[in-house]
Amino acid sequence: MNDKDMMRRALAEARAAAEAGEAPIGAVLVGEAGEILAAAHNAPIASHDPTAHAEIRALRLAAERLGNYRLPGTTLYATLEPCAMCAGAISHARVARLVVAARDPKGGAVWHGPRFFEQPTCHWRPEIAEGPFAAESAALLRDFFRARR
């Protein structure tokens, strides 16, 4: 599996979120051998949980599956630049690589806002890559929110 395949899967999760009335953001966590450990989408509304972002849900599912809160050697694919909360969780989980489709100037914390991984208080920094399908991810978000205005 390659970055395009994994981001396609994350986009499918984002579409599922939109169909459920949640912000269309998806995440997929992949192990060292290329196996999908977890896939999730945003669900704070349905779960009544403000922390139920796609990235955190994927990290939780994988940690439970592996029986370890640390996820070394993994790659996380996210359709949108993670917020500060998600960036913190990625750091604590020791994710090796983060692949992001679309940048988020309003709420992102990787290239925008607090630039979480650049802070001296950040103890673990994943390799960060801009992934494929940025335009598709941004359009999905734009269309979702435009329909709600």
Side-chain angles (χ1 to χ4, degrees):
M1 297 273 179
N2 59 37
D3 286 355
K4 282 188 175 183
D5 292 335
M6 292 300 103
M7 196 60 78
R8 277 190 194 97
R9 180 69 202 295
L11 280 168
E13 287 292 330
R15 287 186 200 94
E19 290 171 14
E22 303 275 0
I25 301 165
V28 173
L29 189 73
V30 177
E32 286 183 270
E35 75 281 17
I36 293 176
L37 298 173
H41 57 75
N42 266 25
I45 298 167
S47 65
H48 309 289
D49 179 358
T51 69
H53 289 195
E55 301 93 330
I56 289 182
R57 292 182 70 222
L59 293 171
R60 284 179 180 157
L61 288 167
E64 181 69 26
R65 178 178 174 183
L66 297 175
N68 192 346
Y69 74 106
R70 296 253 168 100
L71 304 167
T74 59
T75 298
L76 181 65
Y77 294 86
T79 60
L80 186 66
E81 178 180 350
C83 69
M85 175 181 67
C86 292
I90 290 163
S91 178
H92 282 281
R94 305 297 196 262
V95 170
R97 186 169 176 250
L98 172 63
V99 181
V100 179
R103 289 182 177 228
D104 183 6
K106 290 183 182 178
V110 177
W111 296 290
H112 299 91
R115 297 177 189 236
F116 185 87
F117 300 115
E118 295 176 21
Q119 299 307 311
T121 54
C122 177
H123 299 294
W124 177 262
R125 294 163 181 82
E127 172 192 334
I128 300 167
E130 288 193 74
F133 305 116
E136 291 86 340
S137 180
L140 186 61
L141 283 153
R142 190 173 43 253
D143 294 347
F144 176 83
F145 287 111
R146 183 178 295 136
R148 279 157 178 68
R149 290 187 187 126

